[in-house]
Amino acid sequence: MAADVLELTENRLRSALGEPGARAAVTFVGTDRIEVLRFDDPAAGVVRYATLGMSAAAMTDPLAAVADAERGPRAELVLSVRAGFAATDQVLRPLAVLAASPQVEGLVITPGASLDTGEPLWPGAPFTAVLVAEPGGLVPDLELDAPRDPVRFYPLLPMTPTEAAWKRVHGAGALHDRWLTAATDLRDPLRRSVPLG
């Protein structure tokens, strides 16, 4: 049952990130409800936003001959930003839109993928897209009973339009290398684009 998966998923988020300080629900026509939970980490000076609802159904390739609601990858999205520098709580709806994209557009989200919101992630944000990073670090995978795939929690790395365009040409690995070389603080909600010349 999808409700069972969501309960287990929320428990995993709580065990990894603590108690959510706030939550909001967004519903889009023709999709299940997506919640976004906010977790504050004052010690690290970071606020984290995690989706809840995307993992209720497996992501399926729209070209697949038969859609299987049980088998296939499951995921939630996690965005971490430095607290207190921007109105990042306005990211709730864009995050919910991204989390609904497997249902709406038939996307199968994987590490290295770019997800574009078409608008700033929050008012005044220099980012309109995110890069999907490798799961398993911040929130461990949640194993489910067979035949279900585990739920993976994908960190999202905000990208400026320039970075997103450069990544499309050169790939996620090359962009990661540029960020690393420039010692980029990917949690800085006000950061500029990394030098890409």
Side-chain angles (χ1 to χ4, degrees):
M1 299 267 307
D4 298 338
V5 172
L6 293 183
E7 183 178 348
L8 292 169
T9 299
E10 181 169 351
N11 288 341
R12 175 54 54 91
L13 285 168
R14 288 171 181 267
S15 67
L17 304 177
E19 287 299 309
R23 63 196 304 153
V26 181
T27 305
F28 304 99
V29 176
T31 68
D32 295 326
R33 186 170 85 155
I34 302 288
E35 288 190 272
V36 180
L37 281 57
R38 173 187 163 135
F39 298 89
D40 293 292
D41 186 348
V46 169
V47 60
R48 307 184 199 282
Y49 302 94
T51 63
L52 180 65
M54 183 177 167
S55 60
M59 293 183 281
T60 56
D61 186 333
L63 301 178
V66 178
D68 189 332
E70 293 296 306
R71 292 179 172 84
R74 294 173 188 260
E76 297 291 355
L77 308 175
V78 182
L79 174 69
S80 301
V81 293
R82 300 238 171 258
F85 293 96
T88 55
D89 279 354
Q90 300 298 313
V91 78
L92 302 181
R93 184 172 177 81
L95 262 187
V97 169
L98 296 180
S101 60
Q103 290 184 58
V104 175
E105 301 173 39
L107 291 180
V108 177
I109 295 174
T110 57
S114 299
L115 303 176
D116 199 318
T117 62
E119 61 183 4
L121 293 180
W122 53 83
F127 318 107
T128 57
V130 293
L131 178 65
V132 181
E134 291 289 341
L138 184 62
V139 184
D141 293 351
L142 170 65
E143 297 295 333
L144 300 175
D145 293 336
R148 294 169 169 170
D149 286 22
V151 178
R152 294 194 161 89
F153 300 87
Y154 291 127
L156 300 180
L157 308 176
M159 293 188 292
T160 66
T162 302
E163 290 170 339
W166 197 85
K167 181 260 176 187
R168 281 193 293 273
V169 175
H170 300 279
L175 181 56
H176 269 292
D177 289 345
R178 290 298 177 106
W179 282 338
L180 192 60
T181 300
T184 306
D185 180 1
L186 296 174
R187 295 175 178 174
D188 180 356
L190 304 174
R191 74 172 182 85
R192 297 178 181 275
S193 183
V194 71
L196 298 169

